[in-house]
Amino acid sequence: KDLKGIGKDVAKAKALLAEAGKAGGLKLEMQMPPSPLFVRMGEAIKAQAAEAGLDITLAPTEAGKMMQNSLSHNYQAMLSFRTGREDPDGSTYRDFHSEGPFNRMKYSNPKMDALLVKARSPFSMDERKALYLEIQQLVIEDSPMVFLLVMPTGQAMTAKLKGFTHYPTMEVYLKSAWLEK
């Protein structure tokens, strides 16, 4: 609740484009899963970005190809989804440390690197929470990745399924699960 977003500022976006030598606008392609939900989100982003001079071509792309493109840095913009982890380190270090294996944006900030390393040390939960809040605020300020929304996850199953655990990663592990007769 204490995190402050960057908000919408069309004038500032136009100024940043001009500063980057793109005062006449910028064309780019945004890959996204081909599902109706993501296409609608892409359409909303395209309309809002047009106000600032961005001309976005929507490119619905199959999930495997998107993953391949993201890991090989073969994209201009990408609308995708992320899943949570039980420990925030699993979702932050890999994406936002300059040497993180999933740093698809080639993001590099020495302050972020130092915070991420420090947050891996054995602190109390209160100390870790404070560090991860600082990390989250830096992600908002630098915006190497923009988080648009949080969608609830859920799984439907028969009452006969026993020993099943729901994980926020949306991964399904059935090693300890069984069907009751």
Side-chain angles (χ1 to χ4, degrees), residues 160-165 172-180:
K160 293 180 182 181
L161 182 63
K162 304 298 178 190
F164 178 80
T165 302
V172 178
Y173 299 101
L174 298 174
K175 184 176 182 180
S176 301
W178 74 96
L179 286 176
E180 184 178 67

Side-chain angles (χ1 to χ4, degrees), residues 5-163:
I6 55 175
K8 180 180 176 179
D9 189 337
V10 174
K12 183 175 180 181
K14 287 181 177 182
L16 288 170
L17 281 171
E19 184 181 314
K22 302 290 183 182
L26 179 66
K27 291 183 180 211
L28 60 100
E29 179 184 90
M30 183 169 65
Q31 297 176 36
M32 71 199 67
S35 76
L37 173 65
F38 279 94
V39 170
R40 288 185 57 119
M41 287 172 46
E43 290 167 349
I45 292 167
K46 175 181 174 122
Q48 291 179 11
E51 296 176 37
L54 295 171
D55 180 9
I56 298 177
T57 299
L58 302 180
T61 307
E62 182 270 323
K65 181 69 173 165
M66 271 186 62
M67 177 61 78
Q68 179 184 9
N69 289 345
S70 73
L71 293 174
S72 64
H73 306 285
N74 183 23
Y75 67 96
Q76 292 177 302
M78 190 171 281
L79 176 61
S80 187
F81 60 91
R82 293 175 44 92
T83 60
R85 298 287 183 268
E86 292 83 2
D87 187 304
D89 179 70
S91 297
T92 53
Y93 187 94
R94 68 183 201 149
D95 288 336
F96 300 113
H97 191 280
S98 61
E99 296 181 13
F102 289 95
N103 183 350
R104 298 168 176 102
M105 305 78 53
K106 299 182 182 179
Y107 171 65
S108 181
N109 180 330
K111 181 179 179 181
M112 177 64 83
D113 288 352
L115 283 168
L116 288 167
V117 169
K118 188 174 181 181
R120 286 184 149 187
S121 300
F123 291 104
S124 72
M125 289 304 267
D126 288 339
E127 290 172 304
R128 289 190 82 215
K129 180 179 178 180
L131 285 166
Y132 281 108
L133 285 172
E134 194 173 343
I135 288 166
Q136 286 179 308
Q137 187 62 49
L138 191 54
V139 167
I140 291 170
E141 291 167 11
D142 287 354
S143 299
M145 184 183 292
V146 178
F147 297 89
L148 301 175
L149 59 102
V150 175
M151 295 173 52
T153 64
Q155 287 140 348
M157 64 204 73
T158 176
K160 293 180 182 181
L161 182 63
K162 304 298 178 190

